[in-house]
Amino acid sequence: MAGNRIVKTAAALALAAAIFGAPFWWSALRGMKQKAPAPEKPAAEKECVLPATEMRAGHMTLLFQWRDDAVRRGDRAPVAVGGKKYEKSLTGSCLTCHVKKENFCDRCHGSIASAPACFDCHIDTSERGPWK
Amino acid sequence: MEMTRLDFLKKAWRTGLVLFGGASFEVVSGSALLAADGKPSGRRMAMAIDIRACVKDAGCVKCISACHRGHNVPVIPDAKRAITWIWKDTIDRAMPGVLDPYSGADLRGANTLLLCNQCANPPCVRVCPTGATWKREDGIVMMDQHRCIGCRYCMAACPYGSRSFNWGDPRRYLDKGSVARDYPTRTKGTVEKCEFCAERVDRGLGPLCAGACAEKAILFGDLNAPGSAVRKALAGRIALRRKPELGTDPSVYYLL
Amino acid sequence: MIEKVFHGSRRYWLLLLVLGALIATGIFFYLRQTSEGLAVTGMSRSVSWGLYIAQFTFFVGVAASAVTVVLPYYLHDYKAFGKITILGEFLAVSSVIMCLLFIFVDLGQPFRILHVILYPSPTSPMFWDTVVLFIYLVLNLVIGWTVLTAEYRGTPPPSWVKPLIILSIPWAISIHTVTAFLYAGLPGRHLWLSAITAARFLASAFSSGPALLIILCRVARRYTDFDPGEKPERALGLIITYAFSAHIFFILLEVFTAFYSGIPSHRASLERLFWGWGDPASLTPFMWLSMMLAAAALFLLYTPARRRDAGLLIASIAVFASVWIEKGLGFVVGGFNPDPMEYVPAYRPTVPESFITAGVWATGLYILALLFKITAAVRARSSE
């Protein structure tokens, strides 16, 4: 009687783990075949606002900083890096070097299934034609 | 000097007022624009619309097109769901009860321009539960599209109908090829409105609508600067504001 | 104790099934709303809040009305309410959950809802409403569950629960007052901009809430082993009589001030609600239905011989329906009509909007059914 109950409980737990963990199992299986994403680097420019390692890890922090400066603090003064001036603007600065969002942002974000809403409003200058 | 009990109570009361009341009072009353001595400190951006110059061309929509194109405001066919930053309607609707049936025959039934009043005491800012709409130091009432949760409390609070909500995706009514590329669009589920072209004011420019008006009917400037175009126009003319009795203290003036 | 929800009659499972189906339908339409936006509702530039926020307002009232049984029982030691106090608290729990869901489905950017906590804004009544509602939910859940657990074990409730119960009494008043302040402080919305808005809300809450409780007691008596008895119902009937009279009185006060003063903006919303200004899509028929139900209810309630049995049930249904229309639709939509530019666009809920609303209702009833089921099972056991 007691043994039966333990078996039943264990089976129920396993089933629950299988169902509720499905997204994780699925990603783990799929991830085994996946290659590391290769975002397209700008042809002409060699330097970004911050070193590549810092941009890779913290680009969102920088973008939030720029966003809050420009929108909330009204501080739209350009950022000077190595003699070059960058406007605090996603479309106006980032996309001038990384011309195709599809080939840059989307490569990494797509591979980890993270979909930030930036371009729901900000304009991807490489796109043409009507929006869906 | 020894402090009497009454002095102490008075002091404690004032300290309490400053500590607990001060911060919120500033937000609520918009007194941030006045220094301690009651004199203006800093700028307060304001607009004066010359009603008579504007009515000269009843069909003119130059200012509206300039604003809406420049800010990617979609043209939505369903008027009930339209997005408007600046638009035209009759003076009687803009300021109910102001016109009587006899005076100013040229203004009866005529249209004027409507936009966000950039109130010094904005009810929309007071009610916003996330700080998505707030008043800058120069008096411009801003919208943070990143912060807005789309509760539309500000629309209920605005006594001028100056706020629009994106009931659906606004991009359906825009074209990738012809949008202004230096200004974002909005997305569904957020509130938007005129921001006195804050992005241009920050660069020392005036609003798009003012620049587009051939009649120079839209004046823009600092209300706290006696020499500004707005102040000069106000000094020599009579001006009205929309629903002044509500205490919102609008920064948009209508010159008669 | 929670295992009681797994043992029920066929009727009980059928109820859960039907409610579950309604919830699923609601979710289906809500998914459509998330993908297409609030354009699937009947709301517009002018009427920017509709059925969702109106129903939210109504159910804050139902939630607050738990105080009408809690206060007499705990402060006045009115023993007859002993049997239904927990029902009142559990009704509050499911009502607050419905309120939070109504707010959630009304948001244009629901995934940003935590911005309310992340960027707290003390000048906004909506911030305070979220805070007090959430605390009220926790209070009632903890109180109801603790008292019922004690009953289940046959022990007196722990002493720490008493201060919480006392706290829940002013807290109930506060949730509905803050909800009224959502409206009563807005310049230029004259139907709402009234010092008695909070008082109106409390009066309508203390009539519609107990009315629902009487209906639920009748359902319990008919379909479960648990019978709350006649005495608490009679007392609730009396509370409804007073509160509902106050509610109607307050509406008449608004009518007097608006029409005797003659100020056009004060008159406009009431005129539009009750006369419709020739617009067939106005809410006028509903408002008059609400008033006729109110008259019928008052007739029944003011005749003591009818304030019992079938008469009391009919009066309760009439009171609930009357307030549901007046507060759960008319008050909110009416405040937007005319709009600031004096246009009077009509508002009608759409099919998706109605099904989403029904889904929230079903969720509330589902939770209520589970909580009542536990209560009934515990009571049936302790009466053995």
Side-chain angles (χ1 to χ4, degrees), chain B residues 25-40:
Chain B
F25 181 71
E26 203 168 80
V27 176
V28 173
S29 72
S31 63
L33 293 165
L34 298 178
D37 55 0
K39 290 214 180 96

Side-chain angles (χ1 to χ4, degrees), chain A residues 101-125:
Chain A
K101 163 194 168 267
E102 202 186 327
N103 294 347
F104 185 72
C105 315
D106 291 358
R107 292 251 171 106
C108 291
H109 280 283
S111 80
I112 57 164
S114 115
C118 313
F119 292 96
D120 285 2
C121 297
H122 290 276
I123 288 160
D124 171 12
T125 33

